[in-house]
Amino acid sequence: MNVLRAVPLSRHLSPVMEESSKKRRVSHVKSSSKTSISNLLNSPTSHHPDRTDGEDRFVEGSILRLTMINFLTYDYSVVQPGPHLNMIVGANGTGKSSIVCAICLGLAGKTAILGRGDKVGLYVKRGCLKGVIEIELYKKGGNLVINREIHVESNQSLWMLNGKHCSQKIVEEEVKSLRIQVNNLCQFLPQEKVGEFAKMSKIELLEATEKSVGPPEMYEYHCELKNFRNKERELENVVKEKANFLERARQRNERNKHDVNRYYEKKRHLDVIELLDKKKPWVEYETTRKELEDVKKERDEAKKHLLTLKQAQAPMLRKIQRIDEQLKPTEAQMEAKNAAIKEASLKCKQKQDQLDRKHKEIEDIKQTLRLKQMEEEDHQKRISNTRRTIEDLKAELAKVGELPDVAPQINAVNDELKRIQVERAKIESEKSDLRREKDNLCAESKMLEKKLNDMNNMMNAKEEKLRGRHKDTHIALQWLRKNKQLFVGNVCEPMMLVINVKDHRFAKYVENHISFHDLRAFVFQRKDDMEKFMTEVRDNMNLKVNSISAPEESCSRRPPSRNIESLKRFGFFTYLREMFDAPEEVMSYLCHQYRVHDVPVGNEQTKSMIRTVIGEPYLKVLYTANERYTLKRSFYSNKISTSNSAVHPSQYLSILVDTEEKLQLEQQFKDCELKLRDMDARIKALQKEISVLDKRENELLVKKKQLAELKGKKRQLEQKISTKQDSLRQMELNVMDLNKIELDTKEKSAAVNAQKVTIVGVLMTQMKLRVKLTMEKVQIALDKVGLMAEKTKLENDCREGTTELKTTDQKCNRLEQRKIQLRDQCKGLLKRAKMICGMQPDESLPEDLCNAFSELPDTLDEIDAMLNEERSRAECITGLSENVVDEYNRREQEIKHLEDELEAKNNALNAYRQNISEAKDRWLNPLRQLVEQINDRFSDFFRSMQCVGEVDLHSESEEEYDKYGIRIRVKFHNSTQLHELTPFHQSGGERSVSTMLYLMALQELNRCPFRVVDEINQGMDPINERRVFDIVVRTACKETTSQYFFITPKLLQNLKYAEEMTVLCVHNGSHMLSPNKWDEKTFITRCRQRKART
């Protein structure tokens, strides 16, 4: 058995003391106890261990040496593993996982791989400013030494490769070239990631396996295939789209082809219409020209006939002319007599109008007299009526004087009205006070309602966050609120809703301390209620929710281990429990499970005194301003190891809602509502009292009015009698003198009659003159009638000749006008015809037009008929334009272009498919062989454990290369079937066994330089742990396998070991030997002596 020892300053790796007949490989540390840490930090690569001839047994990329300086719990340590199985054994907290962290970070791995702190500076030993990791890797032609110096303050690293400074990128490339993959769970499985192996999907497991044990090109082929498949899909989509687009273009063009034919047909009709439109003005011109020649000929013949008729009618016309000359003075005389008669008639009319006005004036005088008489008659009637009214009022006054005095009754009514007003004022005052108090209560109620709404809005915001993060819990919450009556004990909603932090600054501590699984958990007072709830929501509703049963004995008031006053000197100001409020059941569970009553919270002072603080007893978990510290006390050495992590900002508990304040507000709001209802009732009662008073007041006012009217009636009657007597005296003074008025009327009538006599004399004179002029006019008319009779006789004698002459003359005039009109029309038609044909005024008709016109009709009727027919046919072809033809031709070109593109894409697609087929053969066949090899080993391992396990290549579709995956199926009991390895179906120990055996199946394929598995046997039962250990030893110690690191805190007794394995025992304690006192030979001698004594 190879024995490796490494000597750190504060923690020591001691070898297993066991004799061996074979040559042993012993590691030495080139340092002594006097070597200072600063010297080691300044020159870590100067201490190279002596090499033996066994290096040729290492696989290229294996770890020859690991040096840690000020790293986690180590001050200084050098680890030199063996070429095969390296088993690192030590109790919890001794520093085994620190070696795993050093391997990961020293090979440029990310902190996320380890699942611990997210900052690399957190891995430097507390109190130190920097730490160093140095790893020496075996490489043919010269080993590779990687040095990483970590600085805490800047959280940065300095890298060196073979003693030369370099970038992290160069280190990553060198590590990759040696096929080291610390981010691959199949190669590097740290303690915090063991559970994640079973959570890997089949696809992720395949990729990890390809990278770990497949040929270097296998994963590249897989990626290439996936890229090819994606490009093939893209090409298929492009080809499909182009084929569809081409088909649609063809269909559209096929439809447009008919439109194009119709367009050309319409164009032919339009061309014929254009020719007809050009020929029509020429035909119109020729027709009009011929008509002009005919009119000229007809006009000349009419003129000759008119001259003959005029010569035959000349004698009679001269006689008629002489009579016309005699009639002219007669007409003038008639007009003069008419004017004189008109003037005389006008004067007669004027005098008659004057006479009518005088008649009307006399009638107006008589009407005025009649009106005065009627007015005096009415005046006498009013005097009589007034006298009667005075007599009636005097009689009524005599009756009123006999009634009793009503003044005492009026005084009594006034007294009662005053009493009512005082009582109403009192009630109104009380009512005003109540209203003011009501207004104050309303304002207070609104304020309380607003505060409650604000709190409810904050609760709603919490619920929205819960729904966004875990929808199933939110659905279960809604069900719980509707069915709370089903439960006997108290049921608390998810903790994140009922926990109310007292200050938003405290939320991050509470939220970091309680896991999210518990924050979204429902808390039950009774277990039977919890089981009923889970049956409904988990089994019936198929929801994934968490529920918790509070401790039967309440822990919410459990006292802390130490009074907070004793810790204030370290900066602690409170315990975590004091930072929030929660229902009794929730607080009891948190005190029991998370010990929130015993977790102190400090500030920056605590951070600065942390080395002193962690020495205090009873402290297991504590918080500074921005970090959480967990303290563990070693079972062996009683030394304290600490781990810390950053306190992340709060996501759920930063919304503050004070439950007690909310309950108080709700109670205050209810009290306000009760007071408001009571005040409304009191105001209503007061209003009713006011209504009764108002009714009584109205009755008294009516009574007072009646008494007042009775008291003032006598005075009113006396006043009325006095007024009527005054009015009577005034009317008697205003009596008219009718005799005087009648005398004035007669005098006015006589004067008007005298004026009428004068007007009548003038009227008679004008009427005589009009009669004389009328007689003279009659005589002149008789003379005119004689001449007209003679003229009529002559006209009758030549009437026939005159009619023909007139008709002929009219015809000549008409023909002359027609000739002028046709001549102008011919000029216009000729000009229009040439303009339509695009000819110059002096240009003759072109020969091509003459030939085209010769094929068309020669008459206007035929041309119009043909035009109507052609236009009708053209109009039937609608909705077309030259764009249709242009679009058709353009699309034809596009179709041809698309056909060429489609052919090119199809060729490219076929070429891609050929490439995919070739790449598939290169990738799939070796992969299947690889999976078969893994399956053979995996099945053998399970068979040796009396279990069944299979590994196969799984794919939903053979062509979907990104869906290929490795499926692990296992069966641990004879009564069950093979089930796929998942995080849910198998137990934790079964998952650990399956994971370990799969990694061992990969181990024999020996593609990666080393593998690391940290504490994978934690959940195994002793039988499976022993079987797995035998398989690990048997497999990892073969000469053909690579380096293997197996970390475990415990080992079963009587295990089988192999000579090829290396055991590294990690010890931790205050009594460890210093490096210069470590002597392996002395240990062996003492061991032999002890055995001899026994």
Side-chain angles (χ1 to χ4, degrees):
M1 178 188 298
N2 290 335
V3 179
L4 172 68
R5 69 175 178 84
V7 187
L9 294 179
S10 63
R11 294 193 179 209
H12 305 279
L13 297 171
S14 66
V16 173
M17 304 305 169
E18 193 169 311
E19 288 190 67
S20 173
S21 58
K22 296 188 176 182
K23 181 180 179 181
R24 290 176 301 164
R25 181 174 166 275
V26 182
S27 302
H28 302 279
V29 178
K30 298 295 183 178
S31 64
S32 66
S33 59
K34 297 180 181 179
T35 305
S36 67
I37 299 300
S38 59
N39 292 335
L40 292 171
L41 285 171
N42 292 330
S43 58
T45 59
S46 62
H47 307 288
H48 291 283
D50 297 333
R51 294 285 175 237
T52 66
D53 297 333
E55 280 191 3
D56 56 351
R57 293 188 298 162
F58 285 86
V59 176
E60 190 170 35
S62 297
I63 298 175
L64 296 177
R65 174 176 58 85
L66 171 63
T67 302
M68 296 171 285
I69 304 174
N70 292 339
F71 184 79
L72 288 175
T73 56
Y74 290 103
D75 290 333
Y76 173 69
S77 179
V78 179
V79 180
Q80 292 178 302
H84 300 298
L85 176 61
N86 293 273
M87 189 166 63
I88 302 175
V89 186
N92 287 331
T94 54
K96 303 183 302 300
S97 296
S98 299
I99 299 173
V100 176
C101 296
I103 293 173
C104 175
L105 298 179
L107 296 175
K110 307 297 182 185
T111 56
I113 298 171
L114 301 171
R116 291 193 175 191
D118 54 351
K119 297 179 181 178
V120 71
L122 297 175
Y123 291 85
V124 176
K125 186 172 183 178
R126 186 162 306 281
C128 300
L129 297 178
K130 63 180 178 178
V132 174
I133 305 167
E134 185 171 273
I135 298 177
E136 183 177 359
L137 301 177
Y138 175 69
K139 186 177 181 182
K140 295 177 181 178
N143 294 342
L144 193 68
V145 179
I146 300 171
N147 181 283
R148 181 174 189 173
E149 186 176 292
I150 303 170
H151 293 263
V152 176
E153 185 175 350
S154 62
N155 197 44
Q156 299 292 326
S157 299
L158 295 177
W159 294 88
M160 294 179 66
L161 192 63
N162 290 335
K164 296 180 180 179
H165 288 283
C166 64
S167 65
Q168 182 175 342
K169 183 71 174 177
I170 295 174
V171 174
E172 289 173 352
E173 291 174 355
E174 287 289 343
V175 169
K176 184 179 179 181
S177 66
L178 294 173
R179 298 182 58 78
I180 298 172
Q181 305 163 17
V182 292
N183 59 344
N184 188 341
L185 295 184
C186 289
Q187 180 176 347
F188 194 89
L189 193 62
Q191 179 180 350
E192 286 75 9
K193 298 289 183 176
V194 170
E196 292 189 11
F197 186 89
K199 296 179 183 178
M200 291 174 66
S201 66
K202 295 187 282 289
I203 298 170
E204 293 171 339
L205 184 58
L206 172 61
E207 292 181 354
T209 304
E210 286 177 333
K211 294 176 183 177
S212 178
V213 298
E217 65 276 4
M218 179 175 285
Y219 181 69
E220 296 175 3
Y221 287 160
H222 191 186
C223 295
E224 184 181 354
L225 262 179
K226 288 189 283 188
N227 293 333
F228 278 163
R229 178 55 183 156
N230 291 334
K231 291 180 180 178
E232 182 187 17
R233 286 197 200 98
E234 293 174 4
L235 279 174
E236 286 175 348
N237 293 333
V238 170
V239 168
K240 187 176 180 181
E241 288 175 3
K242 287 192 176 295
N244 291 336
F245 187 76
L246 177 61
E247 184 60 27
R248 289 196 297 270
R250 284 173 176 165
Q251 291 174 359
R252 283 198 301 270
N253 242 25
E254 193 61 32
R255 290 194 298 269
N256 289 349
K257 187 174 183 181
H258 176 64
D259 293 339
V260 171
N261 293 335
R262 290 173 64 233
Y263 172 79
Y264 283 122
E265 182 182 353
K266 182 175 181 178
K267 192 171 186 305
R268 287 194 296 273
H269 290 307
L270 293 176
D271 291 341
V272 173
I273 291 170
E274 184 180 1
L275 281 175
L276 287 171
D277 286 337
K278 287 182 178 180
K279 184 172 182 180
K280 184 176 179 180
W282 287 101
V283 174
E284 289 174 346
Y285 165 72
E286 189 62 28
T287 304
T288 305
R289 189 185 63 78
K290 290 179 180 178
E291 186 180 356
L292 176 61
E293 294 298 327
D294 294 340
V295 168
K296 282 181 179 180
K297 186 176 180 181
E298 187 178 358
R299 185 204 61 178
D300 293 341
E301 291 177 355
K303 281 185 176 181
K304 290 178 183 179
H305 183 59
L306 178 63
L307 184 59
T308 303
L309 290 175
K310 283 182 177 180
Q311 290 174 355
Q313 292 288 332
M316 283 190 281
L317 291 173
R318 283 194 292 272
K319 289 181 181 180
I320 293 170
Q321 187 176 4
R322 284 197 299 272
I323 292 172
D324 288 335
E325 291 175 356
Q326 292 176 3
L327 286 171
K328 286 180 181 179
T330 305
E331 292 290 338
Q333 292 173 3
M334 288 289 289
E335 289 177 2
K337 295 299 179 185
N338 285 331
I341 291 170
K342 185 176 181 182
E343 184 180 357
S345 298
L346 180 60
K347 289 181 179 180
C348 288
K349 186 177 183 303
Q350 291 175 351
K351 293 302 177 182
Q352 184 64 46
D353 291 339
Q354 290 178 4
L355 188 61
D356 292 339
R357 284 196 293 273
K358 293 301 177 182
H359 283 308
K360 189 175 184 304
E361 191 174 345
I362 290 173
E363 287 296 327
D364 291 339
I365 292 169
K366 292 179 180 179
Q367 180 67 24
T368 302
L369 178 60
R370 286 193 296 273
L371 291 173
K372 293 290 184 181
Q373 291 171 344
M374 292 171 64
E375 184 179 350
E376 180 59 25
E377 186 179 351
D378 291 338
H379 190 67
Q380 292 298 328
K381 286 180 180 179
R382 287 198 300 276
I383 290 172
S384 177
N385 291 333
T386 304
R387 285 172 180 166
R388 281 196 301 273
T389 302
I390 290 171
E391 292 299 328
D392 294 338
L393 289 172
K394 285 180 179 180
E396 188 175 356
L397 180 60
K399 293 179 182 179
V400 171
E402 300 174 358
L403 294 173
D405 188 11
V406 294
Q409 297 180 29
I410 293 174
N411 291 334
V413 170
N414 288 334
D415 291 341
E416 190 170 357
L417 284 172
K418 288 179 181 178
R419 183 185 63 77
I420 290 172
Q421 288 174 356
V422 170
E423 190 172 350
R424 183 198 286 112
K426 182 179 178 182
I427 294 172
E428 287 289 350
S429 176
E430 185 178 355
K431 186 178 175 183
S432 299
D433 293 340
L434 287 174
R435 281 180 175 167
R436 282 194 296 273
E437 191 174 350
K438 180 183 176 182
D439 292 340
N440 293 334
L441 280 174
C442 287
E444 184 180 356
S445 177
K446 288 180 180 178
M447 181 186 69
L448 292 172
E449 186 177 9
K450 182 177 182 301
K451 288 183 177 180
L452 285 171
N453 289 335
D454 292 342
M455 288 186 172
N456 289 331
N457 290 335
M458 288 190 284
M459 289 299 294
N460 292 336
K462 278 189 172 184
E463 287 187 28
E464 285 300 317
K465 284 194 174 185
L466 174 63
R467 183 170 65 175
R469 179 69 186 272
H470 206 276
K471 191 175 182 181
D472 284 3
T473 304
H474 187 268
I475 295 171
L477 172 65
Q478 302 304 317
W479 181 88
L480 174 65
R481 288 176 175 174
K482 295 176 182 177
N483 299 276
K484 267 199 172 181
Q485 71 279 1
L486 300 177
F487 304 102
V488 179
N490 292 335
V491 181
C492 297
E493 295 180 355
M495 289 189 194
M496 63 179 289
L497 300 182
V498 298
I499 289 176
N500 290 301
V501 183
K502 296 179 180 179
D503 191 321
H504 67 90
R505 294 173 298 174
F506 300 158
K508 61 180 181 179
Y509 302 114
V510 180
E511 193 168 316
N512 276 267
H513 195 71
I514 305 171
S515 70
F516 179 72
H517 292 289
D518 281 351
L519 281 176
R520 65 180 178 86
F522 296 84
V523 182
F524 292 81
Q525 185 182 20
R526 296 168 58 96
K527 288 186 179 180
D528 54 347
D529 283 344
M530 183 180 74
E531 291 171 359
K532 185 188 299 183
F533 175 78
M534 294 304 288
T535 300
E536 179 62 33
V537 299
R538 184 179 62 189
D539 300 340
N540 298 341
M541 299 173 66
N542 198 26
L543 299 177
K544 296 180 180 179
V545 297
N546 289 351
S547 63
I548 293 168
S549 177
E552 293 182 0
E553 183 179 350
S554 176
C555 305
S556 61
R557 292 174 178 80
R558 186 179 290 174
S561 303
R562 294 179 64 180
N563 192 293
I564 192 65
E565 295 297 328
S566 64
L567 298 175
K568 283 189 175 180
R569 69 180 189 276
F570 301 120
F572 292 110
F573 57 91
T574 186
Y575 282 105
L576 199 61
R577 179 176 62 183
E578 312 307 322
M579 289 185 164
F580 66 94
D581 295 321
E584 174 68 22
E585 291 78 9
V586 174
M587 186 65 79
S588 176
Y589 172 77
L590 294 178
C591 289
H592 174 75
Q593 183 68 25
Y594 289 95
R595 299 185 61 81
V596 294
H597 64 287
D598 214 14
V599 177
V601 180
N603 50 27
E604 292 297 339
Q605 179 186 350
T606 312
K607 169 73 173 177
S608 62
M609 301 175 65
I610 194 64
R611 294 184 69 86
T612 307
V613 170
I614 60 178
E616 288 294 309
Y618 307 112
L619 291 181
K620 296 182 179 179
V621 180
L622 60 91
Y623 285 89
T624 63
N626 296 303
E627 288 184 320
R628 166 180 169 159
Y629 287 83
T630 304
L631 285 65
K632 293 182 181 179
R633 193 171 297 275
S634 173
F635 180 77
Y636 302 98
S637 63
N638 204 34
K639 278 200 170 183
I640 297 173
S641 62
T642 63
S643 62
N644 67 313
S645 60
V647 176
H648 301 291
S650 172
Q651 297 183 28
Y652 309 105
L653 301 181
S654 56
I655 302 173
L656 308 183
V657 180
D658 191 332
T659 307
E660 292 184 3
E661 183 184 357
K662 185 181 178 185
L663 292 174
Q664 291 176 1
L665 290 175
E666 287 175 348
Q667 186 60 42
Q668 291 175 11
F669 184 73
K670 289 178 182 177
D671 294 342
C672 283
E673 292 294 320
L674 289 174
K675 289 180 181 178
L676 284 172
R677 283 197 290 271
D678 182 54
M679 285 184 182
D680 287 338
R682 292 170 62 188
I683 290 171
K684 191 174 181 181
L686 291 174
Q687 187 62 40
K688 191 173 181 181
E689 292 179 14
I690 290 173
S691 299
V692 172
L693 292 175
D694 288 343
K695 184 177 179 182
R696 177 59 182 160
E697 185 181 27
N698 290 334
E699 292 174 353
L700 291 172
L701 288 173
V702 170
K703 185 177 180 181
K704 180 181 177 182
K705 183 179 179 183
Q706 291 173 350
L707 292 172
E709 287 177 353
L710 188 63
K711 179 181 179 183
K713 192 171 184 180
K714 182 178 178 181
R715 187 169 60 252
Q716 290 175 358
L717 288 174
E718 290 173 351
Q719 190 174 2
K720 284 182 181 179
I721 290 169
S722 176
T723 302
K724 290 295 182 182
Q725 287 174 347
D726 292 341
S727 178
L728 178 61
R729 284 193 295 271
Q730 187 66 32
M731 284 189 289
E732 287 174 348
L733 289 174
N734 292 334
V735 175
M736 292 183 185
D737 188 357
L738 289 177
N739 294 329
K740 184 180 178 181
I741 292 171
E742 288 175 359
L743 184 61
D744 290 341
T745 301
K746 288 178 181 179
E747 289 177 358
K748 288 179 182 179
S749 298
V752 173
N753 285 331
Q755 294 175 3
K756 282 174 66 179
V757 171
T758 304
I759 292 170
V760 169
V762 177
L763 176 62
M764 292 303 293
T765 302
Q766 291 296 326
M767 289 180 69
K768 289 176 181 179
L769 178 61
R770 188 175 62 180
V771 170
K772 179 184 177 183
L773 291 170
T774 302
M775 294 301 290
E776 291 174 355
K777 177 183 174 184
V778 170
Q779 185 62 44
I780 293 169
L782 290 173
D783 294 339
K784 183 179 178 182
V785 168
L787 290 172
M788 289 298 294
E790 186 178 357
K791 180 181 177 182
T792 302
K793 184 178 180 299
L794 290 171
E795 286 177 346
N796 288 334
D797 292 340
C798 64
R799 188 179 299 279
E800 295 180 3
T802 303
T803 302
E804 186 178 359
L805 178 64
K806 188 181 290 185
T807 303
T808 305
D809 187 37
Q810 291 176 351
K811 183 179 180 181
C812 287
N813 292 334
R814 188 172 64 253
L815 291 172
E816 181 64 27
Q817 291 176 359
R818 180 63 179 160
K819 184 200 76 168
I820 295 170
Q821 182 182 359
L822 289 173
R823 185 181 61 201
D824 294 340
Q825 191 174 351
C826 281
K827 290 179 180 178
L829 288 171
L830 180 61
K831 183 177 180 182
R832 177 170 171 270
K834 288 185 176 182
M835 183 180 67
I836 289 174
C837 294
M839 297 167 54
Q840 296 297 326
D842 56 348
E843 187 180 355
S844 59
L845 191 65
E847 186 178 354
D848 55 342
L849 279 179
C850 290
N851 295 333
F853 288 168
S854 64
E855 298 176 0
L856 299 174
D858 294 326
T859 64
L860 285 174
D861 293 338
E862 291 175 344
I863 287 175
D864 287 337
M866 191 171 182
L867 270 173
N868 290 333
E869 181 181 356
E870 294 295 328
R871 280 176 179 150
S872 298
R873 290 181 177 179
E875 287 171 358
C876 289
I877 306 172
T878 59
L880 300 175
S881 65
E882 290 186 8
N883 293 335
V884 176
V885 180
D886 295 340
E887 182 68 19
Y888 177 82
N889 294 331
R890 184 183 62 77
R891 196 170 284 125
E892 281 291 325
Q893 293 297 324
E894 284 183 0
I895 288 171
K896 188 175 184 311
H897 182 65
L898 283 172
E899 288 173 346
D900 295 340
E901 282 189 356
L902 183 60
E903 183 180 0
K905 293 296 181 183
N906 276 320
N907 293 337
L909 179 59
N910 293 331
Y912 251 105
R913 285 173 176 165
Q914 182 62 31
N915 292 338
I916 289 173
S917 177
E918 295 173 359
K920 180 180 177 182
D921 293 338
R922 291 196 303 268
W923 171 72
L924 190 56
N925 294 333
L927 177 61
R928 283 175 175 161
Q929 293 174 3
L930 178 64
V931 173
E932 286 176 4
Q933 293 175 8
I934 296 172
N935 179 52
D936 292 342
R937 289 165 175 78
F938 189 75
S939 301
D940 290 342
F941 292 154
F942 262 82
R943 198 177 300 114
S944 67
M945 296 176 60
Q946 286 81 46
C947 301
V948 180
E950 289 183 359
V951 175
D952 62 358
L953 187 63
H954 180 266
S955 175
E956 297 175 359
S957 173
E958 189 172 349
E959 303 302 324
E960 299 298 329
Y961 304 108
D962 54 348
K963 301 294 175 61
Y964 274 80
I966 286 182
R967 179 174 60 179
I968 300 176
R969 296 192 298 164
V970 294
K971 183 177 79 169
F972 287 89
H973 308 286
N974 294 329
S975 58
T976 60
Q977 300 294 324
L978 277 171
H979 288 286
E980 187 174 344
L981 181 65
T982 65
F984 314 108
H985 192 276
Q986 290 81 14
S987 66
E990 291 172 346
R991 291 197 299 272
S992 297
V993 170
S994 303
T995 302
M996 192 66 186
L997 295 185
Y998 184 79
L999 295 179
M1000 295 314 302
L1002 302 183
Q1003 178 69 13
E1004 290 192 37
L1005 298 176
N1006 195 21
R1007 292 292 181 186
C1008 59
F1010 63 86
R1011 282 189 175 82
V1012 177
V1013 179
D1014 189 1
E1015 296 193 18
I1016 199 170
N1017 59 334
Q1018 285 291 79
M1020 297 182 190
D1021 60 81
I1023 296 174
N1024 284 334
E1025 184 177 356
R1026 187 176 297 277
R1027 291 173 178 174
V1028 169
F1029 185 83
D1030 290 343
I1031 293 172
V1032 170
V1033 172
R1034 189 169 63 248
T1035 305
C1037 291
K1038 292 181 180 179
E1039 290 295 331
T1040 57
T1041 61
S1042 56
Q1043 200 174 38
Y1044 200 97
F1045 291 88
F1046 184 80
I1047 293 91
T1048 179
K1050 62 182 180 62
L1051 285 174
L1052 299 174
Q1053 294 181 354
N1054 301 320
L1055 293 175
K1056 295 179 181 179
Y1057 298 92
E1059 294 292 336
E1060 291 79 8
M1061 65 186 294
T1062 301
V1063 179
L1064 291 90
C1065 296
V1066 182
H1067 293 283
N1068 180 3
S1070 57
H1071 303 292
M1072 294 298 295
L1073 291 174
S1074 58
N1076 60 344
K1077 294 180 180 180
W1078 187 275
D1079 188 349
E1080 183 181 288
K1081 292 180 180 179
T1082 304
F1083 295 157
I1084 294 172
T1085 302
R1086 289 177 182 174
C1087 183
R1088 287 173 177 170
Q1089 291 174 355
R1090 190 180 298 112
K1091 284 182 179 181
R1093 284 196 300 269
T1094 58

